[in-house]
Amino acid sequence: KSSSKYILKTLGKLSNTSSITLNNKTTDNNLWSRFNPSSPSATDTNLLAYQRIVRSVLFYNRSSSLFGMDLALTLNESRQFLTQGFENQSVNDLIYGLRATFKRMYAWKIKLTTGFNSVNSDFNTNRNYYIQYKKFDNELSIQPRTNTRLSLLSGVSYKVNTFNTGNGENALLYNVGVEIKINKLSKRTFTSTFKYIRINSKLNGTHENSPIAYEIQEALLKGNNITWNIVWQERLTNGLQISFSYEGRKSESAKTIHTGRMQLSALF
């Protein structure tokens, strides 16, 4: 970073963090089979469950509060043996992010995501899909005080099922929303989000309650949807924390669904 040469100074602003997580359950006594990071064979009869998560993020200007970029790659692959056979799941994401701060009060973040989500089941072929997607998310934040932040949210995404036996189901989703966050250091945090989501989908004969429709429409229904949530975390004493969360969603062709949670945590 202290170099006077432009190339070295630019390289000094690059940083990377990477991780790999392996979880392998097998009845094989071979030591290498237990720690082998590669995907298990489809004919491996000793396998009970397998999961591999690989994440790598390349940052540019990470320490700067004014401007920065990042490129994140996430690979999540799992396989498990159930009563009727194997089920394979894969989620791969490539995310481009950019952030900028203006006059210390305004912040702008954009995120472009491309990837796929797939399920391949030996016993439930109606659950099989290979959904490719592209997403664009935009966030403009205003922070008039150190403990208060208001964010304007917007985004668009496109999803399509390209599984070889699928019907080419696809959906175009638009969303706009607002988020407010109030934080008192080491005491409490309050966050509330409200979103309007418009879904234009073509299921081509696939039922609305199917796993494919659930994934493509993000657990919502075709048409106009509204979602909202409230999260409140309060620190009572040293090591004791309580949190409340409430989520709701409403689709134009379904009743409102409410979900509430409460959690008390003791750290010692």
Side-chain angles (χ1 to χ4, degrees):
K1 290 184 178 181
S2 59
S3 176
S4 59
K5 295 183 179 180
Y6 177 78
I7 295 179
L8 295 180
K9 196 172 183 178
T10 302
L11 291 176
K13 295 181 180 180
L14 296 175
S15 61
N16 175 270
T17 176
S18 301
S19 66
I20 179 171
T21 303
L22 298 175
N23 189 354
N24 194 16
K25 296 181 181 180
T26 178
T27 58
D28 196 335
N29 292 324
N30 185 278
L31 185 65
W32 171 246
S33 299
R34 296 182 223 168
F35 293 95
N36 184 4
S38 63
S39 301
S41 170
T43 59
D44 187 359
T45 57
N46 296 310
L47 182 70
L48 299 178
Y50 171 83
Q51 184 180 36
R52 179 180 62 183
I53 303 174
V54 179
R55 178 172 172 81
S56 181
V57 186
L58 178 65
F59 298 95
Y60 175 78
N61 224 14
R62 184 182 185 183
S63 59
S64 173
S65 60
L66 299 179
F67 175 79
M69 295 186 295
D70 59 80
L71 177 64
L73 174 66
T74 303
L75 310 175
N76 190 337
E77 179 183 2
S78 64
R79 187 173 186 227
Q80 58 181 336
F81 180 73
L82 303 175
T83 305
Q84 298 163 304
F86 282 102
E87 184 174 89
N88 300 274
Q89 297 186 15
S90 296
V91 180
N92 289 9
D93 280 331
L94 185 62
I95 304 174
Y96 310 87
L98 183 148
R99 59 177 177 82
T101 303
F102 309 95
K103 298 182 179 180
R104 298 186 179 181
M105 183 177 172
Y106 304 97
W108 181 43
K109 296 180 181 179
I110 61 173
K111 184 170 66 173
L112 177 63
T113 305
T114 179
F116 70 86
N117 184 358
S118 70
V119 171
N120 195 331
S121 175
D122 292 341
F123 54 90
N124 187 3
T125 56
N126 293 327
R127 181 173 162 76
N128 293 347
Y129 55 76
Y130 187 97
I131 297 175
Q132 294 179 307
Y133 51 83
K134 296 183 186 303
K135 299 180 182 180
F136 175 78
D137 295 298
N138 184 53
E139 177 182 342
L140 177 62
S141 300
I142 305 171
Q143 191 165 347
R145 300 179 181 177
T146 56
N147 63 342
T148 305
R149 184 180 67 193
L150 177 66
S151 301
L152 305 177
L153 312 172
S154 64
V156 59
S157 63
Y158 177 73
K159 297 184 176 184
V160 58
N161 180 28
T162 59
F163 196 76
N164 52 10
T165 58
N167 297 323
E169 302 90 342
N170 62 84
L172 188 61
L173 299 89
Y174 305 90
N175 73 81
V176 292
V178 61
E179 179 185 81
I180 183 171
K181 184 174 183 180
I182 303 174
N183 179 38
K184 186 175 181 180
L185 186 63
S186 302
K187 184 62 178 177
R188 69 177 58 92
T189 301
F190 175 86
T191 306
S192 180
T193 306
F194 179 88
K195 279 188 177 182
Y196 165 77
I197 304 171
R198 173 70 185 183
I199 301 178
N200 299 327
S201 60
K202 295 180 180 179
L203 299 181
N204 301 329
T206 301
H207 199 273
E208 281 273 3
N209 294 328
S210 67
I212 297 176
Y214 183 89
E215 179 62 32
I216 282 183
Q217 298 179 162
E218 299 182 358
L220 299 172
L221 298 178
K222 182 178 180 180
N224 300 315
N225 300 266
I226 298 174
T227 65
W228 60 91
N229 69 71
I230 297 173
V231 179
W232 176 30
Q233 294 180 331
E234 182 83 14
R235 182 182 178 186
L236 303 177
T237 61
N238 290 334
L240 191 62
Q241 178 177 288
I242 190 170
S243 63
F244 300 91
S245 66
Y246 162 67
E247 299 175 1
R249 68 176 187 264
K250 177 69 174 74
S251 301
E252 58 180 312
S253 58
K255 294 182 178 180
T256 304
I257 297 176
H258 304 275
T259 305
R261 300 181 181 88
M262 182 183 71
Q263 178 176 309
L264 181 65
S265 303
L267 306 177
F268 52 88

